[in-house]
Amino acid sequence: MTSTVNGFDSAVVGAGHAGHLGSEAARREHGRLGVGTYRGPGALAAARQGLRVALPEPSSRFDQNDEWCVVQQPDGSWSEFRFHDYHRIFDVPGLYEKIFYDVLGCDTPRFMADLFADALAGSRESAADVRVLDLGAGNGIMAEELSTIGVAHAVGVDILTEARAAAERDRPGLYADYLVADLTDLPADAARTLADHRLTALTVVAALGFGDIPPAAFRTAYDQIADGGWVVLTIKDAFLAEDDTSGFATMISDGLASGALEVVRRERFRHRLATDASPLVYEGIVARKRGPLG
């Protein structure tokens, strides 16, 4: 059984996304990806408000990797969406925000952007000078928060074409570039593109673990950042525990022990609620890159 967790009565906005501007070269002529495809901030807000979402009964417990909900379709029927089926979620305007922000209370991108801003202020560096690689960029929520603290140059990377389409649809103009690429096997042309952006910061927010971004992909992204640059990441506390089998605990602990990662800010925080309303605790880390990861 499911229980409705919001009071919206209007029908679901239909799945799908706005068209692209055409070729990559044509989009670049607009200066930043996505410019010209958006219909205003009200479009996303209206889509988000029009959705009806229901969660499993609170007494049902699921592993975070197996969480799900049901979403009402325009014909009144309900369809199931697993939380990690991002390609399907991104195809429905407003659904990602509806599930994770409106229903489950996620505030992680804003929290981490503020933590990064504090670290920059403590180092007397300007956010306007930072050139960010946003790994697991999705539909651009982190880039939006970075822009509010003054970051002017961000490059998105995601493995899903649906993520880039959603970013261009929902938050155009935020990314100077957006690559769809598998960083466990980064093509040479994509590597050259990233190098051309002279990146000085890496953000990986609410994207590590669960197989979405494996350690090898994180290491490739890390290698694109200039020495002395910034690393801003969140990770579930379980992936930093001694019994972790994902590889992240070893990689991050070794990076800290070797001095490759110099922590500037580190805080535990509630990432969001689980579907049973229990808190999911993550660690937020802002660090300087001082050397290669082992």
Side-chain angles (χ1 to χ4, degrees):
M1 292 186 62
T2 60
S3 57
T4 302
V5 296
N6 63 80
F8 298 118
D9 294 321
S10 51
V12 173
V13 175
H17 54 75
H20 294 269
L21 287 174
S23 68
E24 192 79 8
R27 287 196 295 273
R28 288 175 190 272
E29 289 179 3
H30 287 74
R32 303 182 73 80
L33 290 179
V35 172
T37 68
Y38 197 43
R39 286 178 277 180
L44 181 59
R48 184 171 174 172
Q49 185 172 354
L51 292 164
R52 296 188 68 205
V53 172
L55 300 179
E57 294 290 347
S59 58
S60 302
R61 288 182 172 269
F62 298 91
D63 183 82
Q64 190 174 342
N65 198 40
D66 297 321
E67 290 181 308
W68 57 278
C69 68
V70 291
V71 179
Q72 190 175 39
Q73 301 299 306
D75 64 1
S77 65
W78 293 78
S79 295
E80 181 177 321
F81 285 77
R82 290 186 65 254
F83 286 3
H84 282 256
D85 288 342
Y86 294 119
H87 63 292
R88 294 183 62 216
I89 291 174
F90 285 139
D91 261 349
V92 182
L95 184 55
Y96 185 90
E97 292 83 353
K98 184 71 173 187
I99 295 171
F100 298 110
Y101 292 83
D102 298 343
V103 174
L104 298 175
C106 179
D107 193 34
T108 296
R110 183 205 59 79
F111 178 85
M112 291 306 300
D114 286 351
L115 203 64
F116 187 27
D118 288 344
L120 287 167
S123 300
R124 298 187 177 182
E125 295 185 28
S126 171
D129 296 329
V130 176
R131 302 172 69 85
V132 173
L133 172 59
D134 186 21
L135 177 60
N139 66 347
I141 293 177
M142 187 59 192
E144 184 173 55
E145 294 296 341
L146 289 170
S147 71
T148 68
I149 67 168
V151 172
H153 190 96
V155 176
V157 175
D158 204 290
I159 200 169
L160 297 175
T161 58
E162 294 88 349
R164 182 170 70 173
E168 294 182 8
R169 177 195 68 210
D170 298 340
R171 293 175 178 85
L174 289 176
Y175 290 109
D177 217 335
Y178 195 125
L179 279 65
V180 175
D182 180 355
L183 266 65
T184 64
D185 187 20
L186 185 64
D189 59 341
R192 287 191 295 271
T193 297
L194 293 177
D196 288 344
H197 282 285
R198 306 185 312 280
L199 300 161
T200 61
L202 170 65
T203 59
V204 196
V205 174
L208 295 180
F210 305 107
D212 297 322
I213 297 179
F218 176 83
R219 184 178 285 106
T220 297
Y222 180 92
D223 290 343
Q224 312 307 309
I225 306 305
D227 287 345
W230 295 92
V231 180
V232 179
L233 66 89
T234 66
I235 188 165
K236 189 177 181 181
D237 56 356
F239 291 115
L240 297 177
E242 291 184 359
D243 59 353
D244 167 65
T245 58
S246 72
F248 279 109
T250 298
M251 182 176 65
I252 291 174
S253 62
D254 287 353
L256 296 173
S258 69
L261 282 171
E262 177 189 330
V263 173
V264 179
R265 296 283 191 279
R266 184 171 183 171
E267 292 192 26
R268 296 178 81 243
F269 67 99
R270 193 195 78 174
H271 166 54
R272 63 168 173 84
L273 297 177
T275 56
D276 64 1
S278 62
L280 297 177
V281 178
Y282 276 42
E283 290 225 19
I285 297 173
V286 179
R288 303 303 293 257
K289 176 184 174 180
R290 299 302 187 192
L293 293 174

